[in-house]
Amino acid sequence: MSSHHHYSAPTEVDLQQQQQQAAEQTTSLVELSISCKDLPDCDIVTKSDPQVIVYMLDLSGKDKQCEIGRTEVIQDNLNPKFAKKILLQYHFEQIQHLRFEVFDIDPVGGNDFLGGLNTTLADIVAARSSTFKQPLVGGPRKRPGFLVVDVEELTSCKQVATFDLSATDLPSSFCGLLAPTSSVYIYRSNENGTLTIVYRSPSVRRDCNPKYRTFTQKLVTLCNGDLDRNIRFELMDQNLNMERQLGFFETTINSLKSGGRQQQTQVFDLLNQKSSNRSAQPSESKIALSNFKIINQATFLDYIRAGAQIHFVIAIDFTASNGDPNYPDSLHYLDPMGRKMNPYEQALLSVGNIIKPYDTQGLFAGFGFGAKLLGPNRPPSHFFPLNGNEQHPYVTSIDDLLIAYRSKLKNVILSGPTNFAPCIAHCNNIANQYENGDHYFVLLIVTDGIISDMMQTKRAIVEASKSPMSIIICGVGDADFSAMDELDSDDVVMRVDGKSAERDIVQFVPMNKFTPQSYGPSARASSYKTNSLELQRLLAEEVLREIPDQLTGYMLSHGFHPELTYTTD
C-alpha cells in the first residue's frame, strides 16, 4: 500500500454533500402506501379479500427479522388500495431489506398466499419520481399481479402543536394547608385502547392557579398524525415526593384546532376518577387551553440546508483517576510502538469521524482539564487548549487533534479534581454570543466518569440549556458511570436550586458498549471486521441520536425558522 497521500482540501460542494448525507443519516420517517393490481382470484363465489404483510429482513436479505406492519383486509377486490400506512425509519447509511407478502384472508377455509416480493427500502425511495411497481412472485397463478408502493417522507413529523395551559382552583393537600406542586402529563391513546405517556411538563411549585410553560409537541408524538385520536392530559401533584392525581381531561387535535381557529380559550373541567368502575366526576378545578397553533416545524435537514453551522468543542479528561500514563493499564497510556490506541485515542477517532461531516469549517477546538501544566507551583487547570494557543485553540483535522492530545499528555501532570462545570461554562460563554440561529455548538467531553463537582455541573447544564448548545459525554474505561446517567436526564427535566433546565441537552455514551470485547469471544473471533463496522455504525447512531432534536428544539423555542408557515386549517 502506498504511503503517499495527496490531500486536496474539500470544496464547498463536497462539504455540503457530506453534511447533507450526514444529516439525512439521522432523520427520516417514511410512510409506505400500498396497493396491488391484477391479483389472482382465489374465492369461488366472490373475489379475493387481500391483505399485505411487510417484514424487515436481516442484513443478508434472506431471513425475516421482524414484522413491520400489515394493511387492513379489503373485501372482494383484486385491485386494492390500502388505507393503513406502513411507517418506517429510513436510514440513509443502511441497507434495509424488506419483504412484502400478499394473502387472501379467509377466516373459514384458511388464508391463501397470493404472491410476495423482496426489495430494499432504498429501491423504493429511489423510484420516487415514478411509483415503485414490481411483479409479485409465487402464488397460485403464473402471473400473480403487481405490488405498487408510494413512499412519502412524513410531513406530520414536521408539524408541531404549540399551546398554553393554566389551571384554576386546584385542590390543596394535607387538609388544605399545602398548595399543589403540579405538572402536566400528556398521554397518547393507542389503537388497542392503552395509553402511552409522551410528555411530562416542568412542575409549578405550590400554586393552586398555576400557569405552565408553553407546550411545543410534535403531532406525530401526540397522536401519530391521527387528528381524531384521543389525547389525555393528567395533572399530577408532586408535593413532598409523593405523587397524586389531581384530575384529567381528554380532547383531540381536531377539536383544539377548531377552537384555535376562533382564537378562543377552551376551558375543560378537570375530571376525577376515584375508582375504576365509576365514571369520572367533574371537580371544582378548571383548565384553560389557549393560543393553540399548528406550525410546520423545520427539520434538522432544513436547518442544515439553510446554512446553520455546527461547531464542535472537545474537552479531554486529564485527571489522575485515569492512571499514570507511563503504565500500560492507564487509560492515557501511549503505546511507544504506536500499534494500539488507548481508549481516549479510540474515542476521539471514532466520534471525531462521526461528527466531522457536520462541521463545515473543519475546525475543532480542543481542550483538556484536570492537569497541572508544567511550570513552578502551577495549580491544576480546569480548562487549557491542547495546542497551547489560548487565542486560537483550533485544529483542522481529527489527526491533528490526536497529535495535539499526545503532545499535551507528555507536557502535563495528571491531577484533579474532575470538574466538568468550567468546560460547560466556557462553551456556554461562547455559544451565547451566537444566539442568531446560524450557529450551534456541541461540547464533547471525553472522560473516565469520576466527577467531583456534580452540583456545579448541574447548575452549569441548567444555565447552558438556554444557549444554542448540546453536550455529549463519552465515557471511557470501565468505571461506574451511574453519575453520568444522572446528567443525561431523558425522562425528567433537570432541576437545581428551584430552576429547571429549558430542555434536555446532555447525551451520555459509554464507549465500552461499542468495543468488540463487549460482544463475547465467539462474536469477536468469527467476524471481527464486520463486527467493528457494525459497532462503528451503532456508535454513530448513539452519538448523533439526540443532536437533531436538540438543535431543532432550540431553534424552534427561540423562534428561528428557515421557512415558517402557520397552518391552522
Side-chain angles (χ1 to χ4, degrees), residues 202-268:
S203 50
V204 176
R205 292 177 69 74
R206 309 272 159 89
D207 193 341
C208 290
N209 302 298
K211 284 188 172 56
Y212 301 98
R213 191 184 292 162
T214 298
F215 290 76
T216 304
Q217 287 296 306
K218 289 182 172 180
L219 275 199
V220 77
T221 311
L222 285 175
C223 61
N224 218 352
D226 174 358
L227 305 188
D228 289 313
R229 191 177 290 194
N230 255 2
I231 302 168
R232 175 186 281 231
F233 292 79
E234 250 178 41
L235 266 71
M236 301 298 287
D237 178 8
Q238 290 146 330
N239 260 335
L240 309 180
N241 291 335
M242 297 190 306
E243 272 201 343
R244 67 178 180 125
Q245 196 202 61
L246 298 168
F248 70 94
F249 69 94
E250 292 187 342
T251 182
T252 66
I253 293 292
N254 266 342
S255 67
L256 292 175
K257 269 168 78 170
S258 59
R261 217 175 280 135
Q262 291 140 26
Q263 304 291 304
Q264 68 202 41
T265 296
Q266 298 176 64
V267 179
F268 297 88

Side-chain angles (χ1 to χ4, degrees), residues 46-254:
T46 57
K47 296 189 173 76
S48 294
D49 307 330
Q51 178 181 39
V52 181
I53 305 177
V54 187
Y55 298 95
M56 181 72 77
L57 303 181
D58 62 8
L59 289 170
S60 71
K62 293 190 180 70
D63 300 322
K64 287 180 186 168
Q65 204 173 8
C66 61
E67 178 182 318
I68 302 170
R70 51 180 69 199
T71 65
E72 73 277 26
V73 180
I74 294 185
Q75 304 291 326
D76 298 342
N77 196 326
L78 303 181
N79 297 291
K81 290 190 166 117
F82 299 97
K84 181 153 185 264
K85 314 295 183 207
I86 305 294
L87 294 184
L88 200 57
Q89 284 289 345
Y90 166 52
H91 294 288
F92 181 78
E93 78 279 24
Q94 293 175 16
I95 298 174
Q96 293 166 282
H97 295 279
L98 302 178
R99 174 161 177 80
F100 295 81
E101 292 185 350
V102 189
F103 290 92
D104 170 24
I105 304 299
D106 183 352
V108 185
N111 303 337
D112 295 310
F113 178 64
L114 300 182
L117 173 71
N118 287 16
T119 183
T120 68
L121 185 54
D123 285 335
I124 296 174
V125 170
R128 203 163 5 181
S129 54
S130 58
T131 299
F132 177 86
K133 179 181 177 185
Q134 290 289 326
L136 292 161
V137 179
R141 213 176 57 184
K142 274 214 179 80
R143 305 230 315 275
F146 292 91
L147 179 82
V148 181
V149 184
D150 288 292
V151 65
E152 173 176 31
E153 185 179 358
L154 263 199
T155 51
S156 57
C157 287
K158 298 189 177 190
Q159 292 203 314
V160 174
T162 76
F163 51 90
D164 294 311
L165 269 189
S166 58
T168 47
D169 299 329
L170 292 181
S172 299
S173 53
F174 298 104
C175 311
L177 296 175
L178 205 53
T181 292
S182 63
S183 61
V184 181
Y185 290 11
I186 304 179
Y187 293 86
R188 175 178 78 209
S189 57
N190 301 320
E191 308 252 316
N192 58 6
T194 57
L195 294 171
T196 303
I197 187 158
V198 293
Y199 183 70
R200 293 181 179 87
S201 76
S203 50
V204 176
R205 292 177 69 74
R206 309 272 159 89
D207 193 341
C208 290
N209 302 298
K211 284 188 172 56
Y212 301 98
R213 191 184 292 162
T214 298
F215 290 76
T216 304
Q217 287 296 306
K218 289 182 172 180
L219 275 199
V220 77
T221 311
L222 285 175
C223 61
N224 218 352
D226 174 358
L227 305 188
D228 289 313
R229 191 177 290 194
N230 255 2
I231 302 168
R232 175 186 281 231
F233 292 79
E234 250 178 41
L235 266 71
M236 301 298 287
D237 178 8
Q238 290 146 330
N239 260 335
L240 309 180
N241 291 335
M242 297 190 306
E243 272 201 343
R244 67 178 180 125
Q245 196 202 61
L246 298 168
F248 70 94
F249 69 94
E250 292 187 342
T251 182
T252 66
I253 293 292
N254 266 342

